[in-house]
Amino acid sequence: MDPVDLGIPRQILDSLPGDSNAAKDMERALEGYEQRVNRALADATSEAEAAGVVLDVIEHLEDRAKTYDEFVPELRAWGQSPIYAICWRNFCAALIEQLYDHEDIGEQLDRERNARIVDDGIRLSDAAED
């Protein structure tokens, strides 16, 4: 499989205040995610195995995005700017989108997610109610 080349969308970087180190932190986080995914793709013995590791990364990013999203109204209620929480949430969402858009693993990710739903004993009718 081809390696993944992730990036931070310019609009996210442009939204950050100029005097912060958040852009550097995002770059470091991006490098870590990219290395983890590419190592999984290189070491995997099958597409399903690679998709499983990449899906773990996606689920981690989904959890992080949800956490940052929950900070936004709380920060606003306290009169604080939620710009960092919004940027980190959008960063996570952008990485998820890029991983799903990767031509070698995008389809396999859907299969792996569905397999996990079935393995957990959750029926598709149960998943639709959420």
Side-chain angles (χ1 to χ4, degrees):
M1 283 190 209
D2 292 334
V4 173
D5 185 25
L6 301 173
I8 303 171
R10 173 63 40 205
Q11 64 267 29
I12 293 174
L13 294 174
D14 290 345
S15 298
L16 292 167
D19 60 342
S20 76
N21 289 327
K24 291 178 186 174
D25 292 340
M26 282 185 183
E27 290 285 342
R28 281 194 298 272
L30 176 79
E31 290 171 9
Y33 289 125
E34 189 174 80
Q35 288 174 358
R36 183 174 173 195
V37 168
N38 286 330
R39 188 172 38 250
L41 294 177
D43 295 346
T45 58
S46 69
E47 286 186 3
E49 182 183 346
V53 175
V54 175
L55 191 56
D56 290 341
V57 171
I58 288 174
E59 288 175 348
H60 169 77
L61 288 166
E62 288 171 342
D63 289 342
R64 301 268 316 227
K66 182 180 177 191
T67 300
Y68 289 121
D69 195 49
E70 291 169 353
F71 286 150
V72 172
E74 187 173 330
L75 288 166
R76 285 187 175 140
W78 285 95
Q80 301 294 316
S81 172
I83 191 65
Y84 292 109
I86 291 169
C87 287
W88 277 99
R89 177 199 62 198
N90 293 347
F91 168 79
C92 293
L95 295 185
I96 292 168
E97 181 180 2
Q98 290 173 48
L99 289 169
Y100 269 105
D101 286 345
H102 190 274
E103 62 188 53
D104 288 341
I105 57 174
E107 243 179 71
Q108 190 66 33
L109 288 171
D110 289 332
R111 282 190 217 116
E112 180 65 23
R113 189 175 292 266
N114 290 337
R116 287 183 184 188
I117 290 172
V118 172
D119 284 346
D120 288 343
I122 301 170
R123 302 293 172 251
L124 291 178
S125 61
D126 295 339
E129 293 175 13
D130 288 341

